Amino acid sequence: MNRSVIELLQSHRSIRKFTDQPIDNTLLRQLISAGQSAATSSNLQGVSVIRVRNPQTREAMADLAGGQAYVASAAEFLVFCADLNRSAVCCEKEGQQLADGMTEHFMIATIDVALFAQNVVVAAESEGLGICYIGGIRNNPAKVSELINLPKNVYPVFGLCLGYPDQNPELKPRLPVDMVLMEEEYQPVDEQLLAEYDETMRHYYHQRTKGKLNRVWSQDMSALLGKESRPHMKAFLASKGFKMR
């Protein structure tokens, strides 16, 4: 695949249908190694990746994620976890204790996970693989943690389906660069650009669903952020040692 890195990044789509072709184990380990090469705050390396291959566990994960069948059918399903457990062991080894529940520690581990995973994704797509992030595992993070035996100071951030694509979906339009890139200071939302983007998304949804969906981005955001979302997460994180102080 001779695309430039920029072209590769701009061609990203979520893939939800995969062929039966397995991913070579050597390639998978290379992808994880590429993830490890991502930036990491203070060399924390606060990431663990659980490779889930047991079919029963996969099926359970698919159900917990809201019935996303491709969690069970993708060639690989990985759970990316923010991990302060290794650091806690290091603290004990040096006669110290992990400062429990620090918000900054939670943030840097979670950011590490995002950077690591995106490196894996870009590397995977450069090899012709397709991916789909699965935030739905946070629907029931306690059960997910139980299924993969996560200890204190480790929590599942998201899952990732990997496999060879069996579909070719259209690119989903993103916000105009001029709405995202700001000069010197934060700028108010440009209502005209927002209206134009809403119409772009309306056309995209109309084409993708053959006229069944008439929706715009502003409506998506209202539906997403105009209500509570996974309110159980705060108590769950506290139960795993992430108390946010």
Side-chain angles (χ1 to χ4, degrees):
M1 301 180 72
N2 294 318
R3 292 178 292 174
S4 72
V5 174
I6 290 177
E7 289 173 329
L8 175 67
L9 291 169
Q10 291 175 334
S11 68
H12 167 72
R13 290 88 43 83
S14 292
I15 300 297
R16 296 177 173 86
K17 293 181 181 179
F18 301 94
T19 70
D20 294 332
Q21 182 179 350
I23 298 172
D24 182 79
N25 193 61
T26 299
L27 174 57
L28 180 66
R29 294 181 67 86
Q30 289 175 331
L31 299 181
I32 298 302
S33 178
Q36 289 183 282
S37 296
T40 172
S41 181
S42 302
N43 203 28
L44 175 70
Q45 302 183 71
V47 185
S48 286
V49 184
I50 311 300
R51 182 186 187 187
V52 182
R53 291 195 277 181
N54 183 290
Q56 288 75 34
T57 307
R58 286 272 208 110
E59 290 288 351
M61 292 272 190
D63 289 342
L64 291 169
Q68 299 184 69
Y70 32 93
V71 170
S73 61
E76 297 284 349
F77 183 65
L78 309 175
V79 180
F80 285 79
C81 304
D83 186 348
L84 294 179
N85 179 60
R86 277 193 300 266
S87 302
V89 170
C90 290
C91 288
E92 292 173 5
K93 180 175 177 290
E94 296 299 318
Q96 300 288 335
Q97 282 191 328
L98 181 73
D100 197 34
M102 298 303 298
T103 299
E104 175 67 5
H105 296 167
F106 164 79
M107 289 180 65
I108 62 176
T110 303
I111 292 167
D112 267 15
V113 171
L115 296 174
F116 185 119
Q118 191 61 16
N119 259 29
V120 171
V121 164
V122 174
E125 291 179 334
S126 77
E127 293 293 324
L129 296 170
I131 72 94
C132 187
Y133 282 106
I134 306 295
I137 65 168
R138 297 192 304 275
N139 291 347
N140 193 332
K143 183 61 177 177
V144 168
S145 298
E146 180 183 330
L147 284 170
I148 54 178
N149 197 30
L150 298 184
K152 184 181 178 183
N153 296 313
V154 181
Y155 87 95
V157 184
F158 45 70
L160 186 73
C161 293
L162 280 169
Y164 290 93
D166 195 26
Q167 62 177 169
N168 186 28
E170 292 183 32
L171 292 175
K172 182 177 285 187
R174 298 303 201 221
L175 287 165
V177 171
D178 286 339
M179 288 192 72
V180 177
L181 178 62
M182 303 178 188
E183 295 286 347
E184 305 298 347
E185 61 184 19
Y186 192 89
Q187 302 296 322
V189 174
D190 186 319
E191 297 286 349
Q192 179 61 38
L193 283 178
L194 178 58
E196 291 172 3
Y197 179 64
D198 273 344
E199 287 309 307
T200 297
M201 288 302 298
R202 188 192 305 277
H203 177 74
Y204 165 79
Y205 284 132
H206 187 272
Q207 292 292 106
R208 192 180 78 173
T209 65
K210 296 181 171 59
K212 295 178 182 178
L213 195 59
N214 181 32
R215 201 172 74 203
V216 301
W217 187 73
S218 293
Q219 291 171 320
D220 287 344
M221 294 305 98
S222 178
L224 177 67
L225 303 179
K227 63 180 181 180
E228 289 188 343
S229 180
R230 299 184 180 123
H232 56 265
M233 283 301 300
K234 183 178 180 180
F236 166 73
L237 288 169
S239 75
K240 299 296 284 184
F242 300 92
K243 297 177 183 177
M244 310 303 170
R245 65 181 177 91

